[in-house]
């Protein structure tokens, strides 16, 4: 079984698509950055004066890929090479995942399913530089997980 997005081939194309989608929606600013040290892809844009910051974990996807494709005696590469391949695949996949997620959110807004705030509330940047989600987590505003 393949992990969704593991066979994507161009992060650059996904970035171009994201930018096109956001410009078509009326966003005035767009930027993206891959933070190798943190293992995250950061996409930022601004809509009607509201800055938005979306983070996606490359490390999270790489871990999921390694779970689907564990290193074993039949693996033709060293463990280090296998883990590097997982990071490489993840680095491309997260671009496509974010593109599709953003496209879905924008479509939901444009069709009246969600408001802009409803779609991107957690990613809206506050004057402090934190997102609404980061602020809510730091202030313990979210309920804890339900116990089973």
């Amino acid at each position: 079984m393949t992990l969704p997005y593991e066979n994507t081939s161009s992060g650059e194309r996904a970035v171009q698509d994201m930018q096109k989608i956001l410009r078509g929606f009326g966003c005035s600013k767009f930027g993206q950055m891959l933070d190798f040290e943190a293992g995250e892809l950061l996409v930022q844009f601004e809509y009607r004066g509201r800055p938005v910051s979306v983070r996606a974990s490359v490390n999270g996807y790489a871990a999921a890929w390694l779970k689907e494709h564990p290193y074993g005696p039949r693996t033709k590469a060293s463990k280090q090479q296998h883990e590097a391949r997982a990071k490489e695949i993840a680095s491309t996949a997260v671009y496509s995942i974010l593109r599709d997620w953003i496209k879905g959110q924008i479509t939901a807004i444009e069709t009246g399913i969600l408001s802009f705030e409803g779609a991107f509330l957690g990613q809206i940047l506050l004057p402090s530089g934190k997102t609404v989600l980061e602020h809510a987590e730091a202030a313990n505003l979210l309920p804890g997980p339900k116990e089973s």
Side-chain angles (χ1 to χ4, degrees):
M1 182 172 165
T2 61
L3 189 63
Y5 297 96
E6 76 176 277
N7 294 315
T8 57
S9 59
S10 176
E12 187 175 306
R13 172 67 187 212
V15 168
Q16 292 169 352
D17 290 347
M18 269 189 276
Q19 187 171 8
K20 183 179 175 184
I21 291 163
L22 290 167
R23 285 191 77 182
F25 182 61
C27 293
S28 59
K29 297 177 182 175
F30 174 82
Q32 55 87 24
M33 177 180 70
L34 190 56
D35 182 340
F36 296 108
E37 197 170 302
E40 292 180 330
L41 169 63
L42 174 66
V43 172
Q44 293 187 323
F45 59 92
E46 190 171 295
Y47 177 70
R48 295 185 180 172
R50 286 200 169 132
V52 175
S53 182
V54 182
R55 292 182 186 274
S57 174
V58 172
N59 292 340
Y61 190 93
W65 189 87
L66 287 168
K67 187 174 179 182
E68 284 293 317
H69 304 277
Y71 179 79
R74 294 181 184 222
T75 306
K76 295 179 181 176
S78 70
K79 186 171 184 176
Q80 185 178 15
Q81 290 169 325
H82 189 66
E83 289 172 355
R85 181 168 182 238
K87 283 265 198 164
E88 184 179 313
I89 289 168
S91 293
T92 303
V94 293
Y95 283 102
S96 295
I97 293 167
L98 278 189
R99 176 204 54 216
D100 291 352
W101 180 77
I102 287 171
K103 183 177 183 180
Q105 298 301 81
I106 298 296
T107 301
I109 294 165
E110 289 182 333
T111 58
I113 294 171
L114 293 172
S115 66
F116 176 81
E117 294 77 11
F120 292 108
L121 183 64
Q123 292 77 35
I124 293 173
L125 277 173
L126 298 170
S128 67
K130 289 184 176 185
T131 63
V132 171
L133 178 59
E134 290 167 337
H135 174 77
E137 289 174 336
N140 267 342
L141 297 174
L142 301 175
K146 291 184 178 183
E147 294 184 29
S148 23

